[in-house]
Amino acid sequence: MSAPGLPPDVEAAFAAFPASARAGGLALRDLVFEVAARTPEAGPISEDLRWGEPAYLTAQTRSGTTIRIGAPKTGGYGLFVNCRTSLIEEFREMAPHLRFDGRRGVLFADRDRPDRVALAMLIRAALTYHLRKA
């Protein structure tokens, strides 16, 4: 399943990314929708802005925590989750080769090609976070 068209506000947020980070951010967006399509318990995901960044939520089922895609001031791009979850701590053990931003995200340099297999595990865990914690 391919990602749906960009809502205008989300399109504007991606357009505000530095040109060097935009393709990576959009690739992460595609991966979020691909994983969501293979995760029926998450239900449909909605795409919105949270803190000015593209955000992906399981609004209908409330099965997951919000996933955000951002372009940090330090450069590159990243995939972020709520820092109050245990997701990044758990994921750090599964994929120690990646670069992390504390308890909130995974960071990539502009030139990085993200590990899609590892990131798919993180995305699926985020989309079903509340189901696992129940």
Side-chain angles (χ1 to χ4, degrees):
M1 172 183 193
S2 63
L6 284 163
D9 56 345
V10 175
E11 183 174 17
F14 276 116
F17 278 34
S20 56
R22 193 172 306 127
L26 289 168
L28 289 179
R29 176 187 184 265
D30 289 344
L31 184 59
V32 168
F33 279 102
E34 287 173 27
V35 172
R38 296 190 311 262
T39 311
E41 60 271 33
I45 60 171
S46 61
E47 184 172 33
D48 204 346
L49 291 181
R50 294 289 188 270
W51 302 281
E53 296 176 331
Y56 305 88
L57 303 91
T58 57
Q60 198 172 83
T61 64
R62 299 194 183 281
S63 65
T65 190
T66 302
I67 298 169
R68 289 180 296 108
I69 299 171
K73 292 177 182 162
T74 56
Y77 58 99
L79 184 78
F80 302 95
V81 296
N82 186 321
C83 65
R84 292 187 178 127
T85 68
S86 59
L87 287 166
I88 295 300
E89 288 176 2
E90 295 165 6
F91 189 62
R92 189 185 313 261
E93 293 175 16
M94 296 179 350
H97 62 285
L98 296 177
R99 188 169 57 121
F100 295 91
D101 182 8
R103 295 176 46 103
R104 67 186 202 116
V106 182
L107 300 176
F108 307 96
D110 294 334
R111 67 189 177 286
D112 287 351
R113 297 204 182 271
D115 180 342
R116 291 177 55 87
V117 173
L119 285 175
M121 291 188 301
L122 173 61
I123 292 166
R124 185 178 195 303
L127 293 173
T128 60
Y129 183 74
H130 296 298
L131 297 177
R132 295 182 306 117
K133 294 297 177 186

